């Protein structure tokens, strides 16, 4: 039986994370407007299964914040809703993520009704959150 290591609520922004976020920014900036312009689509779903706390120790945005910022930047082009679904299992990290999402959600609420954001703290039934994302 393995032991799990408790991660800090907010961590340092290391170089590989910075590189991953640069790729994510470029990918979402290119593909959100393309996918959201397909009128036959029901919606575009971005699901972050290991969302983390949403930001790092010096305020650098995490992947949920990046996805929300990119979606807001392209809101005028969306023909179908863009659903952003963030899952974080750790209670403390999830709590911090909710605060980050709530701050950014204010911009979404005033900008467009085509962006839907949900965050979920995963419990014992790990597949339930993912099923919810695909159903809704």
């Amino acid at each position: 039986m393995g032991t799990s290591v408790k991660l800090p609520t907010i961590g340092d922004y290391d170089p590989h994370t910075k590189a991953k976020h640069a790729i994510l920014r470029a990918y979402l900036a290119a593909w959100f407007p393309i996918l959201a312009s397909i009128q036959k689509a029901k919606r575009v779903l971005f699901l972050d299964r290991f969302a983390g706390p949403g930001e790092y120790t010096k305020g650098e945005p995490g992947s949920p914040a990046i996805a929300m910022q990119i979606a807001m930047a392209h809101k005028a082009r969306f023909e179908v809703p863009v659903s952003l679904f963030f899952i974080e299992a750790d209670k403390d990290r999830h709590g911090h993520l909710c605060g980050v999402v709530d701050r950014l959600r204010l911009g979404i609420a005033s900008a467009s009704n085509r962006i839907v954001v949900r965050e979920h703290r995963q419990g014992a039934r790990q597949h339930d959150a993912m099923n919810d994302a695909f159903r809704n």
Side-chain angles (χ1 to χ4, degrees):
M1 222 187 248
T3 60
S4 80
V5 176
K6 173 79 169 133
L7 294 171
T9 300
I10 303 175
D12 292 333
Y13 196 61
D14 55 48
H16 82 275
T17 300
K18 184 176 181 178
K20 177 186 83 168
H21 288 163
I23 293 166
L24 181 64
R25 274 188 189 88
Y27 183 86
L28 294 180
W31 283 101
F32 269 167
I34 292 168
L35 294 172
S37 69
I38 301 171
Q39 294 181 358
K40 290 182 181 180
K42 180 179 175 186
R43 67 177 169 157
V44 174
L45 173 64
F46 176 84
L47 187 136
D48 191 337
R49 170 64 179 78
F50 301 98
E55 66 184 356
Y56 293 86
T57 53
K58 294 183 180 173
E60 301 94 336
S63 53
I66 290 167
M68 291 178 75
Q69 291 165 348
I70 296 294
M72 285 187 291
H74 290 287
K75 69 189 178 303
R77 299 182 191 171
F78 292 168
E79 299 291 329
V80 298
V82 173
S83 297
L84 308 172
F85 199 90
F86 308 124
I87 302 170
E88 175 52 48
D90 181 84
K91 180 182 174 186
D92 295 334
R93 292 165 68 88
H94 176 262
H96 194 88
L97 171 64
C98 289
V100 170
V101 167
D102 285 346
R103 287 193 306 269
L104 290 171
R105 188 179 267 137
L106 295 173
I108 286 176
S110 65
S112 172
N113 63 358
R114 306 297 288 176
I115 302 168
V116 179
V117 180
R118 292 181 58 200
E119 64 280 334
H120 182 82
R121 181 171 173 269
Q122 199 161 316
R125 302 224 24 207
Q126 296 194 2
H127 63 282
D128 288 346
M130 301 253 311
N131 288 338
D132 287 347
F134 290 109
R135 268 195 299 266
N136 297 317

